[in-house]
Amino acid sequence: MNRNHSNERREAEARRTRDNDRPQGNGQQRQPIPHSQRRPDPRQARPVTVRSGRPVSANQPPKAKKSGGIGRVAVIWGAVLVVVLAVILIIAFTMGRFDGDSDESRPAAASVSDSDSAETTTTEETYPVSHAATGDETSGLPAGLDLTHGILIDIESNTVLQSKGGDRKIYPASMTKIMTLIVAAESVEDLDETFTMTAEITDPLYLANASVAGFLVGEEVTMRDLIYGLILPSGGDGALGLAYHIAGSEEAFAELMNDKAKELGLKNTHFTNCTGLHDADHYSTCHEIALILEYAIKDDFMREVLSTYQYTTRSTPEHPEGILLTSTLLSRMNGDESGTVFVQGGKTGYTTEAKNCLATFATELIPGMSEDDLKAQPTKYILVTAGSGEKFGPVFAAIDVYKNIGGESDDGATSSVVTEEPTESNKNDEPEEEDASETKNIIIYTAADPE
């Protein structure tokens, strides 16, 4: 019995010794037993072969092997990420995501810049009203002119002759009223229809110090008189009277203006009102204002209105003698001051944000031809400028631009005096710096008459 117990104890000790040399769960081992109690393990001298085929000792720390795996994974994923980013960039450039002419550079309000770097650009699109192309002979407008934007177009050849930011967005101010004229003239069937002026129209205009023709509350005004009041003195009352009569509200009429802009193929023009009073989302470009003007003067009635110097409205109880309306443009220039062209007509504009603007159409000056005959000549040039700091800045700029068409120099130039008699109907179109009750003598620099 004692022998058997003795054998059992020896076998139990042997099992415990073997168990101490075995790894315990999840590959983790117990604390090593003293060397003197360990039995030699033949497996420790046996090399272990890994996938690479290189022998690795079974005692090699697994941590070193794991670290190398993580590094290789990081390199692989880094390469994959670089490839993915490269593909995204290529797709973005292909789709034009990084086009420098994106909508971010076109504010809801017009982006007005003094930079000369953005000249007119040639487009491959076909417009209902064809955009003039920039040709090899296109140049910038003469240096030193009082303007921030401008464009001169030869409409006979449909070519841009000179430009300074002609396709950049601007606030068009009262040049807006050219589009108001177009929509009104094409909507009204009878120019003798009447509209009764309301305080809803007149009061806000007077509070805003906007230019008006002078129609009074309760006065019955014909469509014809509203149109002449719209253009000659740049009357906001004429504009709103037309808008309310035709569309029921200014907002609805502005939608008709935008519909017409789309019909003409204009891409950078949007209207929020019919007067040109400042609004952040009311903008155009000099180029597209030129297209609007070109469209208008193809109609005999609109051309007549835009080239009229003075007009008297019909007699009403409020105005028994009518209202004498005077063109804000033709009261400031005769039209022949450049010595090379005759300015047939156009439209002025002014707001604090837009500054002074001017759109004109002109024909070549033929010595000896009467003013009426010159006005009847086919139009050759359209000039639109914006951003002038002075009231007469656009007039002087137009004279200089038109004078340079014929290669005229200052040699032999003379000056003439243009006398302007301010009227109640046009005094609010521009900021008044002088006493409106005084006659203004304006010196216009002109080329010498040809001998």
Side-chain angles (χ1 to χ4, degrees):
M1 292 291 294
N2 291 335
R3 187 183 306 114
N4 291 338
H5 283 297
S6 210
N7 291 336
E8 289 175 359
R9 283 198 297 272
R10 284 196 295 270
E11 290 176 358
E13 290 176 359
R15 284 196 300 271
R16 284 197 298 271
T17 300
R18 288 195 299 270
D19 291 341
N20 286 336
D21 288 340
R22 292 176 183 173
Q24 304 297 315
N26 295 330
Q28 297 178 355
Q29 296 183 351
R30 294 180 179 180
Q31 293 295 326
I33 60 177
H35 226 11
S36 59
Q37 298 180 15
R38 293 182 181 177
R39 293 184 180 182
D41 189 349
R43 292 175 300 174
Q44 293 182 353
R46 185 181 302 167
V48 178
T49 303
V50 297
R51 289 184 180 182
S52 63
R54 293 181 297 175
V56 180
S57 171
N59 291 329
Q60 179 178 356
K63 184 177 181 180
K65 184 176 180 180
K66 184 177 181 181
S67 176
I70 293 175
R72 285 193 294 273
V73 170
V75 171
I76 293 172
W77 278 107
V80 171
L81 182 60
V82 169
V83 172
V84 171
L85 289 175
V87 172
I88 292 174
L89 289 173
I90 292 172
I91 294 174
F93 274 107
T94 303
M95 296 178 65
R97 296 282 181 87
F98 296 95
D99 185 358
D101 196 25
S102 68
D103 286 341
E104 292 182 358
S105 65
R106 301 172 182 172
S111 175
V112 180
S113 169
D114 292 339
S115 172
D116 293 347
S117 60
E119 300 297 339
T120 54
T121 55
T122 304
T123 175
E124 295 181 357
E125 297 184 66
T126 300
Y127 296 84
V129 175
S130 178
H131 280 217
T134 300
D136 295 337
E137 301 301 321
T138 301
S139 64
L141 290 167
L145 297 181
D146 181 17
L147 53 85
T148 58
H149 301 73
I151 194 168
L152 173 66
I153 298 176
D154 183 334
I155 64 174
E156 287 185 353
S157 62
N158 198 33
T159 304
V160 177
L161 300 180
Q162 298 175 20
S163 176
K164 179 180 181 180
D167 283 322
R168 286 183 178 269
K169 289 188 177 181
I170 62 165
Y171 299 127
S174 286
M175 293 190 297
T176 296
K177 294 185 174 88
I178 304 173
M179 180 61 88
T180 305
L181 167 66
I182 292 172
V183 174
E186 293 183 347
S187 300
V188 173
E189 296 182 359
D190 183 0
L191 291 173
D192 291 325
E193 293 178 24
T194 60
F195 171 80
T196 302
M197 193 58 58
T198 66
E200 181 184 4
I201 291 175
T202 60
D203 289 357
L205 292 173
Y206 281 106
L207 290 175
N209 196 32
S211 56
V212 295
F215 303 117
L216 299 179
V217 175
E219 185 171 8
E220 290 191 1
V221 188
T222 66
M223 296 298 105
R224 189 190 312 275
D225 289 351
L226 286 175
I227 287 175
Y228 275 97
L230 161 78
I231 296 298
L232 271 62
S234 198
D237 47 358
L240 287 171
L242 291 165
Y244 277 77
H245 179 78
I246 293 168
S249 70
E250 183 176 19
E251 293 77 12
F253 189 86
E255 287 304 313
L256 296 179
M257 296 169 69
N258 288 323
D259 290 343
K260 191 64 180 182
K262 292 178 182 178
E263 179 185 325
L264 297 182
L266 307 182
K267 304 298 183 183
N268 298 302
T269 295
H270 184 261
F271 300 109
T272 61
N273 59 69
C274 60
T275 62
L277 291 176
H278 180 69
D279 186 283
D281 201 30
H282 187 98
Y283 55 82
S284 188
T285 69
C286 288
H287 197 160
E288 295 196 348
I289 291 294
L291 297 182
I292 294 171
L293 179 58
E294 180 182 358
Y295 179 87
I297 62 177
K298 290 178 180 178
D299 177 83
D300 291 340
F301 173 68
M302 288 189 272
R303 182 186 180 89
E304 176 189 340
V305 173
L306 288 163
S307 61
T308 295
Y309 169 50
Q310 287 186 324
Y311 171 88
T312 301
T313 65
R314 73 166 190 161
S315 174
T316 65
E318 292 76 14
H319 293 98
E321 297 181 358
I323 304 173
L324 177 62
L325 306 176
T326 302
S327 167
T328 55
L329 167 63
L330 299 177
S331 65
R332 298 171 192 176
M333 66 186 307
N334 294 326
D336 60 356
E337 291 88 349
S338 69
T340 59
V341 305
F342 178 79
V343 175
Q344 297 166 305
K347 183 73 191 71
T348 59
Y350 173 82
T351 63
T352 301
E353 295 80 7
K355 300 184 178 180
N356 293 279
C357 312
L358 180 61
T360 59
F361 55 101
T363 189
E364 292 180 345
L365 181 62
I366 301 175
M369 183 173 286
S370 69
E371 180 177 318
D372 289 340
D373 289 339
L374 286 169
K375 283 187 176 182
Q377 291 295 305
T379 295
K380 181 172 176 61
Y381 303 110
I382 287 180
L383 172 65
V384 180
T385 62
S388 174
E390 300 294 334
K391 179 176 180 178
F392 281 84
V395 173
F396 294 133
I399 292 171
D400 285 343
V401 171
Y402 284 133
K403 179 168 59 178
N404 288 336
I405 290 178
E408 294 288 334
S409 67
D410 291 343
D411 296 337
T414 62
S415 63
S416 63
V417 178
V418 176
T419 300
E420 178 187 9
E421 294 288 348
T423 66
E424 287 298 321
S425 62
N426 69 15
K427 70 177 182 180
N428 289 323
D429 189 55
E430 308 290 346
E432 291 296 327
E433 298 179 356
E434 302 90 5
D435 185 353
S437 64
E438 297 179 358
T439 297
K440 300 184 182 73
N441 292 326
I442 308 301
I443 304 300
I444 304 292
Y445 194 72
T446 65
D449 293 332
E451 295 180 358

